[in-house]
Amino acid sequence: MNVELRAVQYDEKEILRNLLELYMYELSPYLENVELNKYGFFGYRYLDHYWTEEGRFPFFIYASDKLAGFVMIRKFDVQSENEFKWLMAEFFVIRKFQKQGIGRIAAMQTFNKFPGTWIVAQIENNTPSRLFWEKVISEYTNGAYIQTKLGKQPAQEFVSTGGQNHHDVGSELNSRV
């Protein structure tokens, strides 16, 4: 199975909005302050920012040319143009594609695509997410990361060199299938 990241184009924003609803539904048991609005949607207040602010990047995850999820990253903790960290703002793989290595490969491709210091935070009581990210980041960095906090959320911080000295994740699933 081939895993590919594709930049979300502005005219595909509604597709991303729909996937964000599924994502928020999946997260709702872990978030006390997330409620449906009067129209039956969770909403995502920062969606438009991905086309109006510098340093925000949305991607669809495709698995063998089938839409499988999304990745949304942004520059974070910006001190200057050259001093910032990448933040994994949102990451979602739909259930049909979970537990197949697709999320792992998509995450590693994202880290390779954006070299620099990364922060990946999780909701504290979302144990599946925490276990996933600790495993993926440990593998990606060969254990060279630190456990930290982003606000009250547990997080991992590490440096990506853009694929150098990190996993080559180009066609890894093809060799396993």
Side-chain angles (χ1 to χ4, degrees), residues 125-139:
N125 61 347
N126 187 345
T127 303
S129 174
R130 290 182 67 184
L131 293 172
F132 169 81
W133 285 113
E134 287 175 11
K135 181 178 178 185
V136 167
I137 292 167
S138 180
E139 180 181 348

Side-chain angles (χ1 to χ4, degrees), residues 47-143:
L47 180 60
D48 289 330
H49 296 241
Y50 281 83
W51 287 273
T52 61
E53 290 182 11
E54 293 283 323
R56 290 182 183 258
F57 303 93
F59 295 92
F60 287 130
I61 301 169
Y62 279 86
S64 296
D65 285 324
K66 293 185 174 134
L67 184 58
F70 63 82
V71 178
M72 298 168 75
I73 69 163
R74 69 180 181 97
K75 286 184 177 180
F76 176 73
D77 197 23
V78 177
Q79 262 74 82
S80 71
E81 185 64 29
N82 296 321
E83 293 182 43
F84 64 89
K85 298 174 183 175
W86 292 111
L87 177 69
M88 183 68 71
E90 314 296 345
F91 185 92
F92 179 64
V93 176
I94 64 171
R95 284 189 181 197
K96 176 180 179 177
F97 292 102
Q98 291 177 5
K99 301 192 186 298
Q100 298 177 41
I102 293 165
R104 178 180 148 276
I105 290 173
M108 291 184 181
Q109 287 178 351
T110 304
F111 301 148
N112 285 346
K113 193 175 202 62
F114 294 89
T117 302
W118 274 87
I119 295 180
V120 180
Q122 302 89 46
I123 299 166
E124 188 164 13
N125 61 347
N126 187 345
T127 303
S129 174
R130 290 182 67 184
L131 293 172
F132 169 81
W133 285 113
E134 287 175 11
K135 181 178 178 185
V136 167
I137 292 167
S138 180
E139 180 181 348
Y140 182 77
T141 64
N142 295 316

Side-chain angles (χ1 to χ4, degrees), residues 155-175:
Q156 298 76 38
E157 186 169 333
F158 62 95
V159 174
S160 166
T161 57
Q164 300 171 351
N165 302 323
H166 293 295
H167 255 73
D168 178 14
V169 293
S171 59
E172 189 172 318
L173 279 184
N174 288 333
S175 64

